[in-house]
Amino acid sequence: MKKNAILLPGLNYQVDSLFKHLNSNPQRILIAGSGTFYAASGIAEHFNAPVDMIVEDYQSLLEARLTGENNPSVDIKMMSFENTDYDDSEFDLIYAQASVSTPDRNRILKEFKRILKTGGYFCVGEIVHLSDKYPAFIKDIYENSYLNPLRIDELKKYYSERRFKIIYEEDLSHTLKDYYKEIDKRLDESKTELEPSEKSYYKKIINRIKHESHAYLNLGGNKHIGYYLFLLQKD
C-alpha cells in the first residue's frame, strides 16, 4: 500500500469517488475524523482550496500533525463533532470517512447540517449492516468500537428524512478486506517498534483492532459488516 494511502474503511476509493462525481468547486471544506489527513491533503490539492480538518481527541491531533508535517493547506484542530466552533452555513463541502457511524450520529449530523450551506455537499462513508440478524461477536465488535451501524435502506431513509438529496451512492464493502489485511500487517510491524511502556499503553487498542480484523477476515464478519458511500446535497 502506497505511503499516502488512506488507511480507513473505503481506502482511497471514497475520495476518488468524490472527485469523480462532485460537479462543483467548493472553497470552504471541512474534513471530520482521525486518520483522514491524506484525504484532506488530496482534497485541498484537487479543489485548490484550504481545508479544515477536525479530530475529537488529543492523540489523533498529534498523529495528524506529525503526518501533515505542517502542510499549510490543511488546518488541523481538535473539536467535538457534535458542537463545533463554526458559524451557520459556513462550508460548501463536508467529508467524513468512517467517522459518523456511532451512537452520536444524530447529534453529529444535526451539527454538520447547521454548518453546511444550503446546496452544499456532504460526502459520507458509513459502516453498515449487511444482514438483519448477526452473531454475538459482531455485536461485540460494534460495542467495543463504539459503532451503531444501520442497514443501507435505513441509511437512505435517514438522510432523506433530514432533507439531503442523494447525488451518488456506492457500495464500498469490497474495500474492507484490504483494509483489515493492511491493519493486521501494520499492527504486527508496530509490535517490534514499540517500547515496553508503549506496548502496555497500546495493548488494549491493539487487541481490540486485532480482534476486529480477525473476526472480519476469518470468522465470517464479511457477511455482516459492509461500508457504503453517499454523496449528498443539502436541500
Side-chain angles (χ1 to χ4, degrees):
M1 188 169 284
K2 60 186 181 179
K3 182 180 178 181
N4 62 344
I6 300 166
L7 190 55
L8 290 168
L11 302 175
N12 283 56
Y13 288 87
Q14 180 168 331
V15 75
D16 289 344
S17 289
L18 171 68
F19 296 158
K20 189 180 299 183
H21 297 284
L22 179 59
N23 297 315
S24 180
N25 189 32
Q27 292 302 296
R28 285 290 288 140
I29 303 169
L30 177 68
I31 314 294
S34 60
T36 54
F37 175 79
Y38 289 128
S41 181
I43 288 170
E45 181 179 359
H46 181 84
F47 293 112
N48 191 27
V51 165
D52 281 25
M53 175 180 167
I54 58 173
V55 296
E56 289 194 294
D57 60 84
Y58 188 64
Q59 183 65 32
S60 296
L61 180 69
L62 288 178
E63 290 174 358
R65 287 180 172 169
L66 286 171
T67 303
E69 298 178 346
N70 298 318
N71 184 332
S73 298
V74 181
D75 186 8
I76 307 167
K77 305 173 183 177
M78 186 170 68
M79 203 177 294
S80 167
F81 297 170
E82 304 162 39
N83 185 25
T84 70
D85 297 337
Y86 297 112
D87 294 332
D88 293 353
S89 303
E90 186 162 341
F91 292 99
D92 304 299
L93 168 67
I94 298 177
Y95 180 97
Q97 186 164 350
S99 57
V100 302
S101 306
T102 75
D104 304 318
R105 182 193 284 107
N106 288 348
R107 293 190 294 273
I108 293 171
L109 264 293
K110 181 179 180 180
E111 178 67 359
F112 284 2
K113 188 175 180 184
R114 179 187 71 81
I115 63 178
L116 185 64
K117 295 177 182 178
T118 299
Y121 295 90
F122 181 34
C123 181
V124 58
E126 290 227 34
I127 298 293
V128 295
H129 290 314
L130 298 181
S131 57
D132 290 329
K133 296 181 180 179
Y134 46 87
F137 75 88
I138 296 293
K139 183 179 180 182
D140 289 342
I141 287 174
Y142 292 156
E143 290 178 351
N144 292 335
S145 300
Y146 198 63
L147 291 172
N148 182 32
L150 301 174
R151 294 194 316 269
I152 293 171
D153 59 321
E154 292 175 324
L155 267 180
K156 291 180 181 180
K157 181 181 179 183
Y158 179 88
Y159 285 115
S160 177
E161 288 176 345
R162 283 155 182 78
R163 300 184 64 83
F164 282 101
K165 176 184 177 183
I166 298 176
I167 303 299
Y168 177 74
E169 58 184 291
E170 184 176 356
D171 187 346
L172 294 180
S173 299
H174 65 90
T175 66
L176 292 178
K177 182 177 180 180
D178 287 339
Y179 164 70
Y180 282 117
K181 282 184 175 180
E182 184 67 18
I183 284 285
D184 259 356
K185 176 184 173 184
R186 296 199 186 185
L187 286 176
D188 289 339
E189 291 172 350
S190 71
K191 287 181 180 179
T192 63
E193 298 171 358
L194 293 174
E195 298 294 330
S197 60
E198 292 177 316
K199 286 183 180 179
S200 176
Y201 178 78
Y202 288 110
K203 183 177 180 180
K204 185 176 181 180
I205 298 172
I206 290 173
N207 286 344
R208 176 180 62 78
I209 298 174
K210 287 288 287 185
H211 172 68
E212 186 176 324
S213 64
H214 174 70
Y216 185 87
L217 294 171
N218 303 313
L219 299 181
N222 60 308
K223 298 176 183 178
H224 305 282
I225 304 172
Y227 188 76
Y228 211 81
L229 161 71
F230 288 104
L231 178 59
L232 306 164
Q233 186 174 28
K234 176 182 170 181
D235 286 345

